[in-house]
Amino acid sequence: MTNVIRSAPPAARHGPRQRLLARLWRHRGLYLMLLPGLLWFALFRYWPLWNAQIAFKDFQPVQGVLHSPWVGLEHFRAFFSSFYFSQLMTNTLLISFAKLLIGLPPAIILALAIHESTRKGLARVTQTVTYLPHFLSWVIVFGILLAMLSPGSGLVNKGVIAAGGDPVSFLTDPGAFRAVVIFSDIWKETGWSAILFLAALIGISPSLYEAAEVDGATRWQRIRHISLPGMLDVIVLVTLLRLGHILDAGFYQIYVLYSLPVYSVADVIDTWVYRQGIQNFQFSLATAVGLFKGVIGLLMIVIANRVARRFAGQGLY
């Protein structure tokens, strides 16, 4: 009688480590493409977390991160007890929430308009023209705003004077400066933000629109019952991600546009940190405020995600 020896299956002959290495080698092309992104996050997102400890130290460049004296929560107390704390938080939150609440609807409407357009050539030109401002630096945008809003020679003030009114110094008037910040940001970023919503619309099955059209649904009804629900996931995702950066009111924009007369309504956390932490070499204070912003951003994402899952049925995670 002969003994029949059956070969063990591959999964039995190799352990978990060998199977993992085999999968990595099989998909090595994909992991190779993923490598630059992983390195970027490791170098610029995770490695700096080591230096976040200087928020709790009196950082001295000569002594280094490890040997600088420990001061605990002193820098956090200095920021919270600062005379400017309430003003900075008010300005930051007002500008950030205004950009979110006023800036999100135009991007959604623009995406819907491009998607619903029957003239595809016009739609492509409109999309290109609207997202080009995103690539302009705020220095260039400041020059455009100066040409438009200057009290003496600005086109807007020329219209105001022609209508019998008095010229307004929009960039130095505390009552008008926030509006300039918000609407210039909307003009610059609406086209770029619309790309995400347009991608969500393209992902909706055309058969849904065809079936609705056969049933006699009007264009507005198709938008209401097909397009907007199809965009809901992306709208929730974008809102949650922006809430995570709610204390980032736009440093580059405000730093370029603001001046001493509008500090009371324009000075935000980032501009104050730049003056106190960078220009005055208070690196520990700047790190403490940055850590504070990160914690608040994390809490906002967690809270907003729970609210979104409760009322919209879906969230970021």
Side-chain angles (χ1 to χ4, degrees):
M1 186 176 70
T2 59
N3 293 326
V4 179
I5 301 176
R6 296 180 179 179
S7 61
R13 292 199 306 262
H14 303 289
R17 182 177 180 182
Q18 287 74 16
R19 292 197 298 269
L20 175 61
L21 293 176
R23 285 197 299 268
L24 291 176
W25 179 253
R26 187 183 312 120
H27 303 291
R28 58 188 179 278
L30 296 176
Y31 288 112
L32 189 61
M33 289 190 292
L34 185 64
L35 185 60
L38 293 177
L39 289 176
W40 186 88
F41 273 97
L43 292 175
F44 298 104
R45 294 297 182 183
Y46 293 107
W47 174 249
L49 293 176
W50 166 259
N51 294 325
Q53 60 181 297
I54 69 175
F56 306 96
K57 294 186 174 185
D58 183 15
F59 176 67
Q60 303 295 329
V62 177
Q63 297 178 343
V65 176
L66 292 177
H67 301 290
S68 296
W70 185 272
V71 295
L73 301 177
E74 178 180 336
H75 301 297
F76 294 93
R77 296 192 191 98
F79 176 63
F80 296 147
S81 62
S82 170
F83 173 77
Y84 300 100
F85 176 74
S86 59
Q87 176 181 295
L88 294 172
M89 290 296 296
T90 301
N91 293 340
T92 302
L93 292 175
L94 280 177
I95 293 174
S96 294
F97 275 112
K99 285 183 177 181
L100 175 61
L101 297 177
I102 301 176
L104 198 59
I108 297 173
I109 293 171
L110 178 61
L112 288 170
I114 293 174
H115 184 257
E116 294 293 330
S117 176
T118 56
R119 299 182 178 180
K120 298 305 178 183
L122 178 61
R124 286 193 292 269
V125 171
T126 302
Q127 183 180 358
T128 302
V129 170
T130 52
Y131 77 62
L132 279 178
H134 170 79
F135 298 99
L136 300 177
S137 70
W138 279 109
V139 176
I140 296 175
V141 175
F142 172 73
I144 297 173
L145 293 175
L146 198 61
M148 297 291 295
L149 304 177
S150 176
S153 58
L155 295 177
V156 174
N157 275 309
K158 284 185 177 181
V160 172
I161 294 172
D166 297 324
V168 180
S169 181
F170 292 96
L171 295 175
T172 57
D173 182 6
F177 184 81
R178 283 178 181 164
V180 173
V181 170
I182 294 166
F183 287 103
S184 62
D185 182 79
I186 293 174
W187 170 77
K188 188 174 183 293
E189 301 297 338
T190 293
W192 185 257
S193 300
I195 295 177
L196 292 174
F197 303 117
L198 189 59
L201 289 171
I202 294 174
I204 299 175
S205 175
S207 61
L208 296 177
Y209 293 100
E210 294 170 359
E213 189 173 359
V214 170
D215 291 339
T218 64
R219 184 180 295 270
W220 290 110
Q221 288 173 330
R222 294 198 298 269
I223 292 174
R224 178 181 177 183
H225 297 288
I226 299 176
S227 298
L228 288 177
M231 299 169 62
L232 185 59
D233 290 349
V234 177
I235 294 174
V236 171
L237 175 64
V238 170
T239 303
L240 291 177
L241 292 177
R242 290 192 179 184
L243 284 174
H245 296 275
I246 201 64
L247 295 184
D248 295 329
F251 168 75
Y252 295 107
Q253 177 193 16
I254 296 175
Y255 184 73
V256 169
L257 297 181
Y258 82 155
S259 56
L260 188 59
V262 294
Y263 269 16
S264 60
V265 297
D267 201 19
V268 295
I269 292 176
D270 286 338
T271 54
W272 183 83
V273 167
Y274 177 77
R275 292 197 309 273
Q276 299 296 325
I278 306 302
Q279 292 183 338
N280 295 335
F281 302 103
Q282 299 183 32
F283 301 112
S284 295
L285 176 62
T287 306
V289 177
L291 197 58
F292 164 73
K293 288 176 53 182
V295 172
I296 296 298
L298 177 61
L299 291 176
M300 289 295 295
I301 287 181
V302 173
I303 295 172
N305 185 73
R306 291 187 176 182
V307 173
R309 291 181 65 88
R310 182 179 179 86
F311 293 100
Q314 52 200 344
L316 184 61
Y317 56 89

